[in-house]
Amino acid sequence: MLKKFLVSFLAALAIITPVSAVSDAVVDKMNSIESYYYNPEGKLKCIPNYQGDVTVAGGTAEEKIWSGLTSFLTSEQAAGIMGNFVSESGLNPVRHETSFLNKNPNFDLSSSPEVAHGIGLAQWSFSRRISLYNFIKSRAPELIKYFDDGQTYGRLSGAEFVEKAGEEVANQLISLEIEYLRDEINNTYPAIKNANTVASATETFLRDYERPKNPDLIHHPDRLPQAEGIYSRLSGKTIEVHATTSGDPDCTNASDITTSGDAGSLQSLVMEYAWDTYHSAVFTDRKPAYAEAVTRRLASGKYVGGSVNGVAGIDCGGFVTTLMQESGFAPDYNSGNGNTAIQETWVRTNGWQLLNANPGTPVDTSVLQPGDVAFTTGHTFVYVGNIPGFHSNIASASYGNESGRAPMAGHESLTKNGKGETVRWYRKP
């Protein structure tokens, strides 16, 4: 009965405004988890499902942050950073600078790099606030609402945020911010990695990373006792993965919905087939696993595309076809063994969903998921998402005597090519 009601509701909605097709499988899944909200843009209202390369554990905000930091720092360094975090944000990953929030409740966090308004665990401000905001938005746009709703979430302590937003949301936001922090430390603020005591770590992070007007512990006396307390409580303690539940009624638990196909296998194979950085054309060196796959596929009559300078498989459509089939993400992809134009026809006729509002309108890049395939005239590439160690969200190859590139981290625009043609994105049904 519920399934019939939902199907009827969606059919009625389609009369009012065009919606993306909803498969029976999705309807069954929504029915089984009692989730009946559908967004006409083709997305469920909130499914935070970011899988980054910093894993957090524990049931409290303190434990979650500690587990993430100690994945790449010593216990002393982690404690020193967290002693600062307590003063900065109360361990709330979406904490706002309260005095500014009171005066500017509708401030656009992605604007005005000259404004000091701080957000997040470290109270990133000025241009660093914008960088953090865009970093999270590019990887998990469904989580941005927790930053944007400062009145609801931006004044809480870490414990209050975990309770209100739910552990799944807290885990992912903390994971993202620690990933961002780690990259900043490695690239710009490495001094913290030389600290060997809680006191030196606390002061080094305060002075070099937080950079207050008075950069010493004399003017910030609470930070060191906070750091020492955290070190005493958590150093040497085994922190177990905690059951994750979402306390936000607008969010379905991330484990309840999965994307079609095996995105994990696709992402793993990308690392085997494609160079993790971009190389200018002409570049025909193939990674060993990709070279082996091309040789094997040629022997069995499978499509690998064209050759450049005698090297087979240096071809955009050949790479995408090989990746889709060999990973198991879409085993029948390009079953007609055709070039890029034929491949786009194949995805359309086999039920793949056009993610653009129409072929001439640039896609909303926040909806892209691993396995989505892009087309422009004569070219195709694939969205692979965030893969640790892979320096792009897309993987591509290119055919041509002057443009040939083996599979690698791509530089293509997600919205328009160099000739101004709109990039058309498709998703497996």
Side-chain angles (χ1 to χ4, degrees), residues 303-306 315-318 321 333-347 375-380 399:
Y303 186 79
V304 299
D315 182 282
C316 60
T321 300
Y333 187 86
N334 189 24
S335 55
N337 290 343
N339 61 20
T340 54
I342 294 173
Q343 288 175 37
E344 185 172 11
T345 299
W346 185 91
V347 299
F375 290 94
T376 54
T377 302
H379 190 50
T380 183
Y399 171 76

Side-chain angles (χ1 to χ4, degrees), residues 281-299:
V282 174
F283 184 85
T284 60
D285 291 342
R286 301 171 301 182
K287 294 193 76 172
Y290 183 67
E292 185 278 329
V294 168
T295 299
R296 173 170 41 80
R297 288 171 64 83
L298 282 171

Side-chain angles (χ1 to χ4, degrees), residues 45-62:
K45 190 171 185 181
C46 178
I47 309 174
N49 196 25
Y50 176 74
Q51 300 295 326
D53 57 354
V54 172
T55 301
V56 301
T60 66
E62 184 177 87

Side-chain angles (χ1 to χ4, degrees), residues 176-246:
L176 277 161
E177 291 189 27
I178 293 176
E179 185 178 336
Y180 181 83
L181 169 75
R182 181 202 61 197
D183 292 345
E184 277 203 319
I185 287 174
N186 289 339
N187 296 326
T188 312
Y189 306 98
I192 184 65
K193 299 174 78 172
N194 296 323
N196 54 20
T197 66
V198 174
S200 63
T202 306
E203 185 152 13
T204 298
F205 192 79
L206 173 65
R207 181 183 65 249
D208 292 357
Y209 195 88
E210 294 293 351
R211 296 180 292 176
K213 183 176 181 180
N214 296 309
D216 55 66
L217 291 176
I218 295 174
H219 295 91
H220 305 271
D222 294 336
R223 299 189 184 217
L224 181 54
Q226 289 163 176
E228 290 173 334
I230 290 168
Y231 183 82
S232 176
R233 287 190 295 276
L234 298 181
S235 180
K237 177 181 178 180
T238 299
I239 298 178
E240 298 180 354
V241 176
H242 199 264
T244 57
T245 56
S246 174

Side-chain angles (χ1 to χ4, degrees), residues 320-339:
V320 172
T321 300
T322 299
L323 179 66
M324 290 287 167
Q325 293 180 359
E326 298 291 319
S327 68
F329 185 85
D332 61 343
Y333 187 86
N334 189 24
S335 55
N337 290 343
N339 61 20

Side-chain angles (χ1 to χ4, degrees), residues 64-73 78 81-82 85 178 181:
K64 295 175 190 299
I65 297 166
W66 174 267
S67 65
L69 289 174
T70 53
S71 67
F72 63 97
L73 295 170
I81 290 174
M82 290 181 65
F85 280 179
I178 293 176
L181 169 75

Side-chain angles (χ1 to χ4, degrees), residues 125-175:
S125 57
F126 298 106
S127 61
R128 293 167 76 190
R129 176 194 67 247
I130 298 173
S131 295
L132 172 73
Y133 186 90
N134 289 335
F135 175 84
I136 293 175
K137 187 174 183 179
S138 69
R139 286 157 175 77
E142 65 277 5
L143 296 174
I144 282 295
K145 73 172 188 177
Y146 296 96
F147 281 101
D148 289 343
D149 190 356
Q151 299 298 334
T152 300
Y153 299 101
R155 305 175 187 274
L156 306 176
S157 68
E160 291 168 337
F161 179 80
V162 171
E163 181 178 359
K164 188 172 185 65
E167 286 199 52
E168 188 67 40
V169 170
N171 285 352
Q172 292 178 78
L173 280 165
I174 290 170
S175 174

